Every structure is written in structure tokens, then in C-alpha cells.
């Protein structure tokens, strides 16, 4: 079992594996990225609104719905695809 500090906000979503990264939402509006296999934190992206559903894996990224009724696709590096 690997334990690590994810910061002041707890992870609130399922963990999603995309390539060599694990992605999760914390605090409702922060996408956290961890590197496999070390689970070292490698980045964080502020999201435009709280996440209502997701993240769900899609190809080389993830898909989420937001509280402001948007569908957001992001890459494994945290870049908005659409």
C-alpha cells in the first residue's frame, strides 16, 4: 500500500489511470495528477467549476461534467481538450 500527502483537500472522485498517470479530483475543483508507480504528485489543475460526475477515462484523457452543466475533456497532463 502506497500512502502520500495529497494536500489539504481529500480526494473526492474515483482514481482514473491514463497512461503512466493517475488522475483524481480533490476539493471539487482541483484535478490532481500522480505518477505511476511511485504515486508522486506531479501536478494539479484548477477546474472551471465543481465536478458533478467523473472523471471517466476516454482514450488518452478523461471526461467530466461540471456543476455549471458543461462537459469537459482533459488530457492526462491536465490540459483542456474541449
Amino acid at each position: 500500500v502506497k500512502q502520500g500527502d495529497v494536500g489539504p483537500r481529500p480526494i473526492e472522485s474515483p482514481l482514473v489511470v491514463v497512461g503512466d498517470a493517475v488522475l483524481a479530483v480533490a476539493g471539487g475543483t482541483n484535478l490532481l495528477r500522480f505518477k505511476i508507480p511511485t504515486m508522486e504528485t506531479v501536478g494539479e489543475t484548477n477546474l472551471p467549476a465543481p465536478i458533478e460526475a467523473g472523471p471517466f477515462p476516454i482514450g488518452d484523457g478523461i471526461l467530466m461534467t461540471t456543476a455549471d452543466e458543461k462537459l469537459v475533456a482533459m488530457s492526462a497532463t491536465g490540459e483542456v481538450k474541449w
Side-chain angles (χ1 to χ4, degrees):
V1 174
K2 176 70 175 171
Q3 294 183 346
D5 183 9
V6 297
R9 297 167 304 274
I11 292 176
E12 302 170 337
S13 74
L15 300 177
V16 176
V17 176
V18 179
D20 66 350
V22 174
L23 308 171
V25 176
T29 59
N30 296 289
L31 179 67
L32 305 177
R33 294 182 307 283
F34 304 95
K35 183 176 178 143
I36 295 175
T38 64
M39 292 304 287
E40 170 187 0
T41 303
V42 293
E44 182 174 332
T45 301
N46 292 327
L47 302 169
I51 298 303
E52 290 287 315
F56 303 105
I58 54 163
D60 63 348
I62 57 171
L63 186 66
M64 302 171 283
T65 59
T66 62
D68 61 354
E69 301 181 355
K70 296 208 165 93
L71 188 60
V72 179
M74 298 185 84
S75 71
T77 60
E79 296 175 54
V80 176
K81 292 181 162 193
W82 46 268

